[in-house]
């Protein structure tokens, strides 16, 4: 928790491990997850305005991505959730 790094391809993008044992419930079940937040600024298409983007991603060991939320200037714009999974 608290680890931070930048994208080697785009130094304007930062990642931070925000939580290491956060419980997340989605249609596929309840998981103990690591939450990573990605942050960057981007120009709004067709204008010169910028928007601050935060992507919150929750990962469960042995499962992978469980939930993903994108916020633009603190407004939730998209959410992805794990519907189901199988372990082989």
């Amino acid at each position: 928790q608290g680890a931070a790094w930048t994208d080697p391809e785009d130094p304007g993008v930062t990642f931070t491990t925000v939580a290491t044992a956060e419980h997340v419930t989605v249609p596929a079940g309840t998981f103990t997850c690591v939450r990573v937040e990605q942050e960057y600024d981007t120009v709004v298409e067709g204008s010169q305005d910028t928007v601050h983007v935060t992507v919150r991603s929750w990962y469960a060991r042995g499962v992978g991505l469980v939930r993903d939320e994108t916020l633009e200037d603190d407004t939730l714009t998209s959410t992805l959730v794990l519907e189901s999974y199988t372990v082989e």
Side-chain angles (χ1 to χ4, degrees), residues 2-70:
W5 64 97
T6 58
D7 184 332
E9 300 293 317
D10 185 351
V13 178
T14 61
F15 296 85
T16 305
T17 304
V18 177
T20 58
E22 202 164 275
H23 296 284
V24 177
T25 300
V26 295
T30 299
F31 302 90
T32 301
C33 296
V34 171
R35 178 166 45 115
V36 176
E37 291 190 0
Q38 174 185 0
E39 295 194 53
Y40 60 93
D41 293 318
T42 188
V43 176
V44 176
E45 192 173 324
S47 77
Q48 293 185 353
D49 296 335
T50 60
V51 63
H52 183 76
V53 178
T54 302
V55 180
R56 297 178 183 152
S57 302
W58 288 264
Y59 299 93
R61 182 183 304 270
V63 177
L65 183 64
V66 170
R67 182 177 181 90
D68 189 84
E69 298 176 345
T70 300

Side-chain angles (χ1 to χ4, degrees), residues 66-86:
V66 170
R67 182 177 181 90
D68 189 84
E69 298 176 345
T70 300
L71 296 95
E72 296 179 2
D73 287 338
D74 295 322
T75 300
L76 185 64
T77 58
S78 73
T79 303
L80 302 171
V81 295
L82 183 65
E83 295 286 332
S84 65
Y85 74 103
T86 57

